[in-house]
Amino acid sequence: MTTELVTGKQGRPHIDGDDVGSLTAAIAGHGDYLLQRADGTWPAITMQDANHALIPTLNLLVEGRYARVTAAESVVIESGQSGQKRNDLVCLKYTRDSNQIESVAWTVIKGTPTAGTPADPTVPAGSILGGSATAYAKIARIPLDGLTPGTPVMLAGRLHPIVDMWDSATLYDSGGWTVSRRGRLVCVRFQGSIAGGSWDSGVCPYTLPAACRPPFEVNAACTVHNGQTSRMLIVVPDGVIRVSNMGAAGSTQTCVGFLVYPIG
């Protein structure tokens, strides 16, 4: 039989990493993800010195496999070359041996030096869920410019706690402006009027906190009751929210606009 009741009693050991990994990946996602710390922060790899990257205590899901770093580790970054740039990748390497024993270890894949724009090195193909005996999870990029390593860039995704999906708060609600957060979404609504000049704006008195700001400008059209004015509801990366006429003078009547964007 190929159909198995994984979480049922069989009178023998039968639940293995493939069972748990497949279930976890189906629920959480099939990629490589960092998990949030208890204090709400996200772990990040840093440079310990010019030749060592420091991996802090952290929790990872790698194609459904749960990996945990319980004490900080370091990996060696080979020295750069004067006048050359290079990208190295810090990876978690998964291995399954001939006895089906699984393990993980940190490794660095060195990039190719170049005087131009460096590219990330090629990571050997392999998938845990696909049954490969070896697979690599890209966790961070180390950019080197000459002899100097830059700040590591985290490449693994972030898997937010389930509670974030329903956690919500009203951030501001006054003067026709309503700003709220629903999990990882920010919702902005405006119902009111502004001056009728061709580029006049109405600015929300509330400025979004850093955690709720978009990485780039987001906007949505506002509907003016008599339809005479082109108007936009706009949120910019510094947290300012405004409604603006877009080059057409006209109505000062009430308009309504609504937009939603993801955060985190």
Side-chain angles (χ1 to χ4, degrees), residues 116-135:
T117 301
D120 289 350
T122 300
V123 175
S127 166
I128 301 172
L129 293 170
S132 300
T134 303

Side-chain angles (χ1 to χ4, degrees), residues 20-178:
V20 178
S22 295
L23 174 63
T24 304
I27 295 172
H30 293 79
D32 306 321
Y33 308 106
L34 288 168
L35 303 182
Q36 197 176 61
R37 288 173 167 150
D39 62 2
T41 62
W42 296 94
I45 292 174
T46 57
M47 292 306 298
Q48 190 174 26
D49 55 44
N51 291 107
H52 294 87
L54 184 67
I55 297 148
T57 56
L58 54 78
N59 295 282
L60 285 167
L61 282 183
V62 178
E63 292 190 72
R65 298 299 203 270
Y66 171 51
R68 183 183 182 195
V69 179
T70 58
E73 300 182 35
S74 64
V75 290
V76 175
I77 305 298
E78 187 176 315
S79 295
Q81 300 172 245
S82 180
Q84 299 284 297
K85 297 179 180 180
R86 192 180 84 222
N87 286 346
D88 289 357
L89 294 178
V90 178
C91 299
L92 189 69
K93 181 181 179 182
Y94 163 91
T95 303
R96 186 181 69 251
D97 68 16
S98 58
N99 295 315
Q100 306 305 306
I101 303 300
E102 300 169 284
S103 61
V104 290
W106 292 97
T107 188
V108 176
I109 300 178
K110 180 184 173 183
T112 301
T114 177
T117 301
D120 289 350
T122 300
V123 175
S127 166
I128 301 172
L129 293 170
S132 300
T134 303
Y136 292 79
K138 296 185 290 185
I139 306 302
R141 175 190 301 115
I142 311 295
L144 291 98
D145 188 346
L147 301 175
T148 306
T151 301
V153 178
M154 299 302 291
L155 300 177
R158 290 179 174 183
L159 188 63
H160 289 269
I162 293 175
V163 69
D164 284 357
M165 296 176 63
W166 59 76
D167 183 32
S168 63
T170 298
L171 304 176
Y172 185 79
D173 189 8
S174 181
W177 295 95
T178 302

